[in-house]
């Protein structure tokens, strides 16, 4: 999202893309629901649409999501769209699950492209709201209008601080959502990573 991050990515590998948001400086932390914050999170949906239009599937994660194992093992082939959840109620097809767009998988189908266009257009109805909340407001419309098949992944597998379970025998990813502020997020991320290291040292070597 900014030049420094792009340079860091290139120092690790060459599969990097500088996703510039015209008119916004996204190189620093943005206050929740500020204009720059909203531009940032809505730019994700625009990027997803662009990727699908090129004919590619994608697995997207926010930068504050930690990967412990391959998350693809929890993605079903039946679903058009797979989402993480803040709160999971037990049924991966239940739209009452509380979605989280910090981890998303989508297939490059015409249906999904139209879904993302509809989702982006819905921002006009909710101009002061982020993309995740708008999805939650319109998810039943998307299912009805596009016959969208959505899979919501259990927080036991794609974990977070909203519904923390942290069973490291199951976790593939852990997202530092439901924690506000960069400093607080970093502190909690470091804590989870230390727990993961302890788990590996004790259980994976036994």
């Amino acid at each position: 999202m900014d030049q420094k991050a792009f340079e860091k990515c290139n120092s690790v590998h060459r599969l990097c893309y500088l996703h510039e948001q015209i008119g916004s400086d996204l190189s620093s932390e943005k206050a929740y629901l500020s204009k720059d914050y909203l531009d940032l999170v809505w730019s994700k949906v625009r990027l997803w649409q662009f990727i699908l239009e090129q004919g590619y599937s994608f697995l997207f994660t926010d930068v504050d999501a930690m990967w412990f194992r391959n998350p693809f093992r929890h993605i079903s082939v039946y679903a058009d769209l797979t989402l993480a959840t803040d709160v999971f109620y037990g049924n991966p097809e239940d739209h009452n699950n509380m979605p989280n767009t910090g981890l998303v998988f989508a297939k490059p189908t015409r249906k999904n492209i139209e879904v993302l266009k509809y989702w982006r257009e819905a921002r006009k109805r909710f101009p002061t709201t982020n993309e995740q909340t708008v999805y939650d407001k319109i998810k039943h419309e998307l299912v009805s209008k596009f016959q969208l098949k959505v899979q919501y992944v259990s927080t036991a597998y794609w974990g977070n601080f909203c519904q923390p379970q942290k069973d490291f025998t199951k976790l593939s990813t852990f997202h530092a959502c439901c924690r506000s502020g960069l400093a607080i997020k970093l502190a909690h991320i470091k804590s989870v990573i230390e727990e993961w290291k302890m788990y590996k040292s004790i259980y994976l070597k036994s």
Side-chain angles (χ1 to χ4, degrees):
M1 300 298 295
D2 64 88
Q3 186 63 36
K4 185 176 180 181
F6 182 60
E7 291 170 0
K8 177 63 176 178
C9 180
N10 276 316
S11 73
V12 178
H13 58 72
R14 309 305 296 179
L15 303 176
C16 305
Y17 173 78
L18 180 58
H19 178 52
E20 296 180 290
Q21 178 71 18
I22 304 302
S24 297
D25 176 13
L26 302 178
S27 61
S28 60
E29 183 178 5
K30 303 303 176 186
Y32 183 65
L33 295 184
S34 66
K35 178 186 180 302
D36 281 349
Y37 168 87
L38 292 174
D39 286 345
L40 170 63
V41 296
W42 278 103
S43 75
K44 296 193 306 186
V45 187
R46 178 168 59 86
L47 176 62
W48 299 343
Q49 181 183 326
F50 173 77
I51 293 170
L52 297 185
E53 288 171 344
Q54 308 316 303
Y56 295 101
S57 301
F58 67 81
L59 177 64
F60 174 92
T61 65
D62 281 347
V63 71
D64 58 345
M66 295 156 275
W67 287 38
F68 303 125
R69 298 182 178 89
N70 184 352
F72 278 101
R73 68 177 70 187
H74 304 298
I75 295 174
S76 172
V77 295
Y78 85 87
D80 300 304
L81 193 65
T82 301
L83 293 169
T85 54
D86 279 344
V87 179
F88 182 75
Y89 294 116
N91 180 352
E93 298 180 26
D94 184 359
H95 294 289
N96 290 314
N97 290 312
M98 296 177 61
N100 187 294
T101 57
L103 210 161
V104 176
F105 175 79
K107 299 173 183 177
T109 62
R110 174 50 54 186
K111 179 196 295 187
N112 274 345
I113 292 170
E114 293 304 314
V115 163
L116 293 183
K117 288 180 180 178
Y118 189 90
W119 186 354
R120 291 178 61 202
E121 190 68 19
R123 183 182 182 182
K124 296 176 183 177
R125 288 190 270 158
F126 310 98
T128 60
T129 306
N130 64 20
E131 91 299 347
Q132 180 172 299
T133 302
V134 170
Y135 171 84
D136 197 42
K137 291 178 180 292
I138 68 168
K139 58 190 177 184
H140 295 288
E141 297 175 34
L142 296 175
V143 172
S144 175
K145 183 176 179 64
F146 299 102
Q147 288 73 56
L148 185 69
K149 296 183 178 72
V150 184
Q151 175 197 11
Y152 299 94
V153 178
S154 169
T155 51
Y157 306 122
W158 291 359
N160 60 52
F161 286 116
C162 308
Q163 193 179 33
Q165 301 188 56
K166 284 197 290 189
D167 180 349
F168 284 111
T169 65
K170 297 179 179 179
L171 277 176
S172 288
T173 65
F174 198 90
H175 187 193
C177 52
C178 292
R179 294 293 183 269
S180 298
L182 185 58
I184 294 174
K185 279 181 178 285
L186 285 173
H188 283 86
I189 285 172
K190 290 177 181 177
S191 175
V192 174
I193 290 174
E194 288 305 312
E195 291 182 66
W196 169 250
K197 288 179 178 178
M198 184 173 295
Y199 164 78
K200 287 201 301 181
S201 68
I202 296 173
Y203 294 101
L204 296 188
K205 292 181 180 179
S206 61

